[in-house]
Amino acid sequence: MQFKLFKTFWGFSGSPQEAAHEAREAGFDGLEAPAPTTSAALDGFAAALAEHGLDYIAEICTAGSYVPDRHATPAEHLADLERKIVGALPLGPRFCNVMAGCDAWPLVVQYEFFARALEVADRHAVTLSFETHRSRSLFTPWVTEAVLQRVPQLLLTVDISHWVVVSERLLDDDWELLLGIAERAHHIHGRIGYPQGPQVPHPAAPEYADCLAFHQRFWAAVWAAQRRRGYAVSSMTPEFGPDGYLHTLPFTDQPVADLWQINRWVGDCERAHFQRCAAPVALSH
């Protein structure tokens, strides 16, 4: 199984060409970003991917940005999903990473929504991977488990940093539940959360070693599950980001770390971690 790293556009303000150059220079394999909405911008994005030989993951948020419109109906979410899938298809995405639905919906609504979302995916012959994200439908492991029981074919982008802060704890006591969820993991968002926030100041900081170890343990479980399921490629997007996630100094609002340097660190660290997990275990004599 190959390991592929994707550069996120979250917090990046440059051009697709600049992003592609940075990704290649860091040894990344692709870009994860929303599809541009104009023909000229689509052409420019496609040219950057082609010139640098990069893969693409389409990022889709239904009915809003990272936080949904609270009053949007499931039908409106589905219509927005289909519109954005169609918009991304010219770029030939490996799959679409989808922040979908709303945390406030009753479970019965969630079940119907995800079943219909998969019908949209089938209609356009595209793979959808639904992200575990605060404010969205899959905002806790327990809701996610319930949805998977009713819609077992669902694929997940696992970002458990969201679950750590929602639950206000590392989820070691729910490890068996997490192992079950790992069986449906399609993609990983590589951010490390802690019990009081979705993003540690720096993942290499020793004071957050337990948080890094918890996330890495789960990622290793995802890789093991993907191998059992016959995956040829496992993908990860290191996803430390801005918008209140990145810690800043009081009064000056100066960031405590550089996002791209952190995401490069995560990429290098997890590439080595993946290789260790893939290495055969030496037998003792």
Side-chain angles (χ1 to χ4, degrees):
M1 186 169 68
Q2 290 181 288
F3 184 61
K4 291 196 173 187
L5 288 166
F6 287 75
K7 174 181 170 61
T8 179
F9 263 53
W10 184 38
F12 178 76
S13 58
S15 69
Q17 279 287 352
E18 290 169 328
H21 175 77
E22 283 191 2
R24 268 299 175 218
E25 191 271 333
F28 281 39
D29 305 281
L31 304 178
E32 179 174 335
T37 56
T38 68
S39 296
L42 270 173
D43 290 345
F45 202 105
L49 293 171
E51 179 179 338
H52 294 273
L54 294 172
D55 285 342
Y56 172 61
I57 297 171
E59 178 191 287
I60 291 175
C61 298
T62 65
S65 183
Y66 299 116
V67 177
D69 176 352
R70 177 64 184 87
H71 303 292
T73 66
E76 289 170 329
H77 278 261
L78 289 166
D80 198 31
L81 172 64
E82 186 155 26
R83 179 178 62 82
K84 289 173 178 174
I85 288 172
V86 170
L89 288 178
L91 295 176
R94 290 182 61 86
F95 59 88
C96 299
N97 174 64
V98 186
M99 282 156 272
C102 179
D103 54 3
W105 292 347
L107 272 175
V108 66
V109 175
Q110 308 283 18
Y111 301 150
E112 175 67 17
F113 171 75
F114 282 107
R116 292 186 61 193
L118 291 180
E119 292 174 0
V120 174
D122 289 343
R123 192 152 59 239
H124 295 282
V126 67
T127 297
L128 302 183
S129 185
F130 294 93
E131 186 174 344
T132 62
H133 199 288
R134 286 173 301 152
S135 81
R136 294 295 186 164
S137 292
L138 306 179
F139 71 108
T140 78
W142 304 283
V143 169
T144 302
E145 180 188 40
V147 170
L148 287 175
Q149 287 175 349
R150 291 289 295 270
V151 193
Q153 64 272 45
L154 212 64
L155 296 175
L156 303 177
T157 293
V158 284
D159 184 345
I160 61 169
S161 69
H162 288 285
W163 290 350
V164 167
V165 65
V166 166
S167 306
E168 207 170 354
R169 62 190 183 277
L170 300 178
L171 292 159
D172 296 291
D173 289 342
D174 288 280
W175 188 247
E176 291 302 315
L177 184 154
L178 293 184
L179 287 179
I181 288 169
E183 294 295 329
R184 300 307 302 163
H186 184 69
H187 180 53
I188 295 172
H189 273 184
R191 187 172 57 251
I192 293 89
Y194 65 108
Q196 302 305 329
Q199 180 171 299
V200 299
H202 198 293
E207 59 268 35
Y208 294 103
D210 58 335
C211 299
L212 174 61
F214 171 77
H215 288 73
Q216 288 183 317
R217 183 184 175 206
F218 178 70
W219 298 339
V222 168
W223 297 331
Q226 289 178 335
R227 288 191 185 94
R228 287 192 298 272
R229 289 151 58 199
Y231 269 52
V233 173
S234 182
S235 57
M236 171 185 277
T237 300
E239 212 209 17
F240 276 66
D243 302 336
Y245 285 66
L246 178 64
H247 290 238
T248 60
L249 298 174
F251 304 106
T252 66
D253 203 33
Q254 291 299 303
V256 301
D258 179 89
L259 285 178
W260 180 227
Q261 291 304 315
I262 291 177
N263 283 328
R264 288 189 64 165
W265 185 93
V266 172
D268 291 342
C269 185
E270 293 317 301
R271 188 186 291 110
H273 181 205
F274 180 86
Q275 291 168 349
R276 291 195 303 272
C277 289
V281 178
L283 298 176
S284 58
H285 295 285

